[in-house]
Amino acid sequence: MEERRSARVGTVSGLALLAGGTAVAAVAGGTHSIFATILLGMLAVGMGHALLTEIRRQARRRSLGGWAAEDTANTVLLASWAAGALIVTTLAVAPTMVRAVGVMLTFGYAVSCIYFVRERRRTISTPAPDPATVPAETA
């Protein structure tokens, strides 16, 4: 059971960091060709979609105990990434494009955190369907 809980927390947190890091790498200086920049941007968008899908999956899972420790950990981590992105965006001396991505990451992480909490609370408050009353699927 402990292994499954840590996997739930690690997936959201890891995807959030990978999406953000890839987005920053796409616009950060260096010798990127336009092709590499576009590919990194597309990869960041794909990881953002994977993050949203994972947040939705974890928020809508059914559990007996209601709000669990891993829910709190996911919420705190997403809020921390939002705060960290905001701090780095405001304090770092960086090119305009990197700052723009920082603002987008701040907004994205904050919205992801709010979305997770809202969906999780909605799932917990909705009673699970009774298996006896659910009609069997026909082949």
Side-chain angles (χ1 to χ4, degrees):
M1 183 70 158
E2 274 308 307
E3 183 179 324
R4 290 184 66 197
R5 284 186 178 174
S6 64
R8 287 187 211 146
V9 172
T11 305
V12 168
S13 180
L15 281 171
L17 288 177
L18 282 171
T22 305
V24 170
V27 298
T31 58
H32 290 156
S33 67
I34 189 69
F35 181 71
T37 301
I38 290 171
L39 282 178
L40 283 169
M42 289 171 52
L43 181 61
V45 169
M47 282 194 274
H49 180 266
L51 173 62
L52 178 62
T53 302
E54 183 64 19
I55 287 172
R56 187 177 295 129
R57 185 186 70 77
Q58 288 190 29
R60 293 179 181 170
R61 76 182 187 281
R62 288 288 175 186
S63 61
L64 297 176
W67 190 272
E70 59 264 20
D71 300 326
T72 302
N74 280 329
T75 303
V76 167
L77 286 169
L78 285 170
S80 297
W81 302 147
L86 179 63
I87 290 168
V88 168
T89 300
T90 57
L91 296 180
V93 178
T96 306
M97 289 301 293
V98 174
R99 285 178 166 239
V101 168
V103 169
M104 289 174 28
L105 287 175
T106 300
F107 179 73
Y109 290 150
V111 168
S112 296
C113 182
I114 293 166
Y115 178 71
F116 175 77
V117 171
R118 191 189 81 197
E119 285 297 311
R120 187 69 185 130
R121 292 184 73 168
R122 181 182 293 163
T123 300
I124 291 169
S125 66
T126 305
D130 184 19
T133 62
V134 175
E137 291 186 39
T138 58

